[in-house]
Amino acid sequence: MSGMSQLIIAPILLPLLTAAIMLLIGEKHRQLKARLNLLSSFVGLGIAVSLLLWIRTQGQAESIGVYLPGNWPAPFGIVLVLDHLSALMLTLTGIIGVSALLFARARWDSAGASFHALFQIQLMGLYGAFLTADLFNLFVFFEVLLAASYGLLLHGSGRARVRAGLHYIAINLFASSLFLVGAAMLYGVTGTLNMADLALKIPLVPEADRGLLHAGAAILAVAFLVKAGIWPLNFWLVPAYASASAPVAALFAIMTKVGLYALLRLWTLLFSDQAGASAHFGGHWLVYGGLMTLAIAAISILAAQRLERMAGLSILVSAGTLLAAVGFAQPALTGAALFYLVSSTLALCALFLLAELIERSRSANEVPLEDEEGVMPSPLESLHPPKGINLDDEQKAVIGQVIPWTMAFLGLSFIACALLIIGMPPFSGFIGKLNLISALFNPLGLGRPVEQPLSASGWALVALLILSGLASLIAFGRVGIQRFWKPEERPSPLLRRYECLAVVALLGLCTLLSFRAEPVLRYTQDTAASLQATDAYIQAVMAARPRPGPTILDLQVQP
């Protein structure tokens, strides 16, 4: 692990150095900054993929990498840890970052100052949150990504963005305050903030301090649940995401998963079966909160009229599904939920990008293109019918009309994206939901005896998975008819190559995920198994030793 351990810190250092260089360059050289941003994002994605491939090829015991940035041993120094879950989230972040940036290169990166630097800082915060192994540095990376997101949310100006941005900032500052209070209470009880050390000390907490421990954990969980979008603390999410520019909203699709990641990491590590009296503390609240979030989001999506709001509500559907699935504390269900997380995040990212393209000809707040470089060829409009063609009551040709290629591209992409989010076969969204339902009925796997019948909350999750898909089908079908089938005299929107490339790449990955579901499911199941095997994580972190520094003899000048 000596070579790979040095690579663990690269996803954090690379965007940090890139952002610093772009701030030094200034705003006069936007094209240079855009190319540098794109190059850094691609390199970061390559590093994440290489770490994922390394994790995938290692055995269960050796598949945890530890890096000590300050060269201090745990639990005193900063620790970065790479395992199955963090490698998966790093790769997903890299894919979404590259896709959002490709889309932004077409027009949105010129709508305000410091877009590229803020974009890299956002990536640095995301990468750091998925790699850190102590609560204090998790808070630091949370604040880094949130500070960058404040600027990105306001990118492009507009009253709606400012109003939603103020709500977004206020609720996240409140959640950050809860984070600090909860972390301070845990530190007061256990004397440490290192996650592995916390897992060792929580079972040893005296019974008199157990209530304070649970109170601190609950306050910390509320901070994560606010960021994950649990009901009723998610009132800020849909307006903020719907008001953000398309590439920023697409990047934000991974941000709710940061709160979910933190909950999954800490809950499985700190409150595992080895936690004594605190084992599985708060699990039923995750289940009930996830079910309520899923139910409210499914009802709300029926009333949504704009695609941006539908995308934001679909994020809440995904968040409710994942929170409820994690709360059951079943490895098979957690593995299926992680597969669903990957599929839904990629599809929702594509939907945010598509929403801007579909609504472009209807939007009154459009950022004008500064030049025509990269604009796709003019869309093919309907041809005048030749003589002899039958006409309808409005004197339009019944046959012989040509669909503009831009609308054909957007329509087919919308159908694919909607089917992925609804969960229709044979796409990966259906595979994810099918595996969730299968894991609920067969927690030990197919063909194995079921120890106990499905609980009421399990039946509720099965029913809501089906009903939420039906609600999404109705909502997306209605919007699709209004946007593509209803006859309206609207010019076809102009598209740029980068915009089409980003959407095609995301939908292509979802299609590949559908065809290659088995190896991905095997990886997510291994991830769930590694989360359950907390001893390997704890031992890897606590056994990490600093590299020896130079001695006096090494520094002596040889004659």
Side-chain angles (χ1 to χ4, degrees), residues 253-267:
I254 192 68
M255 283 187 59
T256 53
K257 306 305 184 291
V258 178
L260 179 71
Y261 165 86
L263 281 169
L264 180 59
R265 170 72 71 192
L266 293 174
W267 190 61

Side-chain angles (χ1 to χ4, degrees), residues 414-430 473 476:
F414 175 79
I415 291 173
C417 199
L419 293 178
L420 281 164
I421 295 172
I422 294 167
M424 297 291 288
F427 292 101
S428 56
F430 170 76
L473 175 62
F476 279 101

Side-chain angles (χ1 to χ4, degrees), residues 339-355:
F339 181 90
Y340 174 79
L341 182 150
V342 175
S343 174
S344 63
T345 305
L346 293 175
L348 288 169
C349 180
L351 181 60
F352 275 115
L353 301 182
L354 274 173

Side-chain angles (χ1 to χ4, degrees), residues 127 216 278 287 316:
Y127 286 140
S278 298
V287 175
L316 297 183

Side-chain angles (χ1 to χ4, degrees), residues 116-128:
H116 296 289
L118 288 172
F119 194 93
Q120 285 295 310
I121 295 173
Q122 176 88 19
L123 288 180
M124 184 192 76
L126 289 169
Y127 286 140

Side-chain angles (χ1 to χ4, degrees), residues 221-299:
V222 171
F224 295 141
L225 290 170
V226 169
K227 300 174 190 298
I230 195 172
W231 184 85
L233 305 176
N234 54 16
F235 59 89
W236 57 273
L237 190 146
V238 175
Y241 283 36
S243 301
S245 61
V248 173
L251 184 61
F252 282 7
I254 192 68
M255 283 187 59
T256 53
K257 306 305 184 291
V258 178
L260 179 71
Y261 165 86
L263 281 169
L264 180 59
R265 170 72 71 192
L266 293 174
W267 190 61
T268 55
L269 184 62
L270 306 187
F271 301 105
S272 63
D273 294 331
Q274 289 78 32
S278 298
H280 304 296
F281 168 72
H284 58 286
W285 289 108
L286 291 179
V287 175
Y288 298 147
L291 292 176
M292 287 300 300
T293 303
L294 180 55
I296 298 300
I299 296 172

Side-chain angles (χ1 to χ4, degrees), residues 245-549:
S245 61
V248 173
L251 184 61
F252 282 7
I254 192 68
M255 283 187 59
T256 53
K257 306 305 184 291
V258 178
L260 179 71
Y261 165 86
L263 281 169
L264 180 59
R265 170 72 71 192
L266 293 174
W267 190 61
T268 55
L269 184 62
L270 306 187
F271 301 105
S272 63
D273 294 331
Q274 289 78 32
S278 298
H280 304 296
F281 168 72
H284 58 286
W285 289 108
L286 291 179
V287 175
Y288 298 147
L291 292 176
M292 287 300 300
T293 303
L294 180 55
I296 298 300
I299 296 172
S300 301
I301 202 171
L302 290 172
Q305 300 295 323
R306 293 176 51 208
L307 272 176
E308 294 89 345
R309 289 191 61 84
M310 291 179 60
L313 290 168
S314 297
I315 284 184
L316 297 183
V317 171
S318 172
T321 302
L322 294 169
L323 286 170
V326 167
F328 280 93
Q330 298 176 4
L333 191 58
T334 302
L338 291 174
F339 181 90
Y340 174 79
L341 182 150
V342 175
S343 174
S344 63
T345 305
L346 293 175
L348 288 169
C349 180
L351 181 60
F352 275 115
L353 301 182
L354 274 173
E356 199 270 338
L357 299 181
I358 293 172
E359 301 290 341
R360 177 168 293 175
S361 61
R362 302 162 56 93
S363 175
N365 187 28
E366 185 169 345
V367 179
L369 298 173
E370 294 183 356
D371 53 62
E372 296 301 319
E373 181 184 358
V375 176
M376 299 294 285
S378 299
L380 182 63
E381 301 293 347
S382 300
L383 302 177
H384 294 290
K387 293 182 178 181
I389 297 296
N390 295 328
L391 303 178
D392 59 11
D393 294 338
E394 297 181 358
Q395 299 299 308
K396 293 183 179 180
V398 178
I399 60 174
Q401 290 187 338
V402 179
I403 300 177
W405 77 265
T406 53
M407 298 306 295
F409 168 77
L410 293 177
L412 292 175
S413 299
F414 175 79
I415 291 173
C417 199
L419 293 178
L420 281 164
I421 295 172
I422 294 167
M424 297 291 288
F427 292 101
S428 56
F430 170 76
I431 299 174
K433 287 191 174 182
L434 181 62
N435 277 273
L436 284 169
I437 296 174
S438 176
L440 283 168
F441 284 104
N442 304 277
L444 300 179
L446 292 174
R448 297 183 180 182
V450 179
E451 296 180 353
Q452 56 185 5
L454 190 61
S455 62
S457 56
W459 280 109
L461 180 55
V462 172
L464 286 174
L465 283 173
I466 298 172
L467 293 176
S468 64
L470 179 60
S472 297
L473 175 62
I474 295 172
F476 279 101
R478 182 188 67 245
V479 172
I481 290 173
Q482 292 175 349
R483 298 296 187 272
F484 298 103
W485 193 260
K486 183 179 178 181
E488 290 186 16
E489 294 297 333
R490 286 204 319 260
S492 300
L494 293 176
L495 305 182
R496 283 190 165 187
R497 294 181 178 90
Y498 282 126
E499 296 170 331
C500 298
L501 179 60
V503 174
V504 169
L506 288 168
L507 294 180
L509 285 174
C510 291
T511 305
L512 181 63
L513 188 62
S514 304
F515 285 99
R516 300 291 296 170
E518 183 180 359
V520 178
L521 275 169
R522 192 181 306 118
Y523 182 90
T524 57
Q525 292 296 341
D526 291 341
T527 303
S530 67
L531 289 173
Q532 189 180 29
T534 58
D535 291 341
Y537 183 96
I538 296 171
Q539 183 178 1
V541 173
M542 302 306 293
R545 291 291 177 264
R547 292 179 177 271

